Amino acid sequence: MTELAAESASDDEQAGLSSNEDDSGGGGRSAFMRELASMRMIKLYSLLRRSGTLARRRQFGMNETDWWIVAQVGEYAPLSLNGLAERLGQDRGQLSRAVKSLVQRGLLKRGRKPGGPEIEISLAPEGQRIHRDMIELAIDRDRELTEGLAPDSLEVLRGLVEEMILRAEAMLGEEKRLAALEAERGDG
């Protein structure tokens, strides 16, 4: 199974969806689950992620990790490896290998932070060009996704998604709080 196929299968399994499912079929709790707003959003994310992975590979020769590194460095440079790992929520070791590869490809450059031992990561000139092209790809894909939707509908959608993001952040915060309490009880 390819990396893309594995990622896609994993996304769909987490959402309780398969690509050959008929959303109108089935009954009971399973059919109900497929209609939950969160499950529909996960399916949308999965489809966009899969097509985005193919587009990134075709246009830039990049996997998902490379894409996110260049995107974050392009937006927030200079970044330390620790800062990049924190922004992406990924393992520093894995990112270190990916950054090294992107430096070798001429997309990133590394240098010592003035007055300290820490390394800063920024875009090389070719990385800057690709970053601009990445932004254009994202804009084009968003335009294609939302084509034909009324501007007022898009505005409502953006507002609803922002509200759900705030609620999801609160849910995450609460789960982290509960996990920390549980860990404290386990240590005591």
Side-chain angles (χ1 to χ4, degrees):
M1 183 179 281
T2 67
E3 178 184 338
L4 174 59
E7 288 172 0
S8 299
S10 176
D11 289 343
D12 287 346
E13 286 170 10
Q14 289 172 1
L17 305 168
S18 71
S19 58
N20 59 4
E21 258 179 344
D22 177 359
D23 290 331
S24 64
R29 304 288 288 168
S30 183
F32 175 75
M33 287 288 291
R34 285 192 301 271
E35 295 307 316
L36 293 174
S38 56
M39 295 297 114
R40 302 306 297 162
M41 292 175 76
I42 290 169
K43 180 158 187 166
L44 174 63
Y45 166 76
S46 176
L47 291 167
L48 289 171
R49 182 180 182 193
R50 288 159 43 191
S51 66
T53 297
L54 292 171
R56 287 188 295 271
R57 285 188 181 147
R58 179 176 49 81
Q59 292 187 21
F60 306 112
M62 289 184 169
N63 63 33
E64 189 171 27
T65 300
D66 293 347
W67 169 272
W68 282 110
I69 289 171
V70 172
Q72 292 299 304
V73 172
E75 186 75 20
Y76 300 104
L79 281 173
S80 67
L81 189 58
N82 286 336
L84 181 61
E86 186 176 313
R87 292 203 72 75
L88 293 175
Q90 290 193 2
D91 175 64
R92 186 173 176 237
Q94 177 188 1
L95 287 178
S96 178
R97 290 184 292 278
V99 165
K100 183 178 180 180
S101 170
L102 290 167
V103 167
Q104 290 171 343
R105 290 175 54 190
L107 302 180
L108 297 181
K109 55 185 178 178
R110 291 187 296 194
R112 290 246 178 250
K113 187 175 186 176
E118 197 168 67
I119 300 291
E120 289 184 325
I121 304 163
S122 59
L123 293 178
E126 179 64 8
Q128 291 171 1
R129 184 192 67 74
I130 287 197
H131 184 256
R132 284 190 301 272
D133 291 347
M134 288 168 52
I135 291 170
E136 288 306 312
L137 175 64
I139 291 168
D140 290 346
R141 287 175 52 77
D142 189 74
R143 187 178 302 121
E144 186 176 351
L145 179 68
T146 59
E147 186 177 351
L149 298 178
D152 57 334
S153 294
L154 277 174
E155 198 57 38
V156 168
L157 175 63
R158 286 185 184 105
L160 291 170
V161 169
E162 285 305 313
E163 189 173 326
M164 286 189 281
I165 287 171
L166 290 173
R167 290 179 184 181
E169 287 172 342
M171 291 166 68
L172 175 61
E174 178 64 6
E175 289 300 329
K176 285 181 175 180
R177 185 187 73 76
L178 293 171
L181 283 174
E182 197 172 289
E184 284 178 19
R185 281 190 221 127
D187 290 340

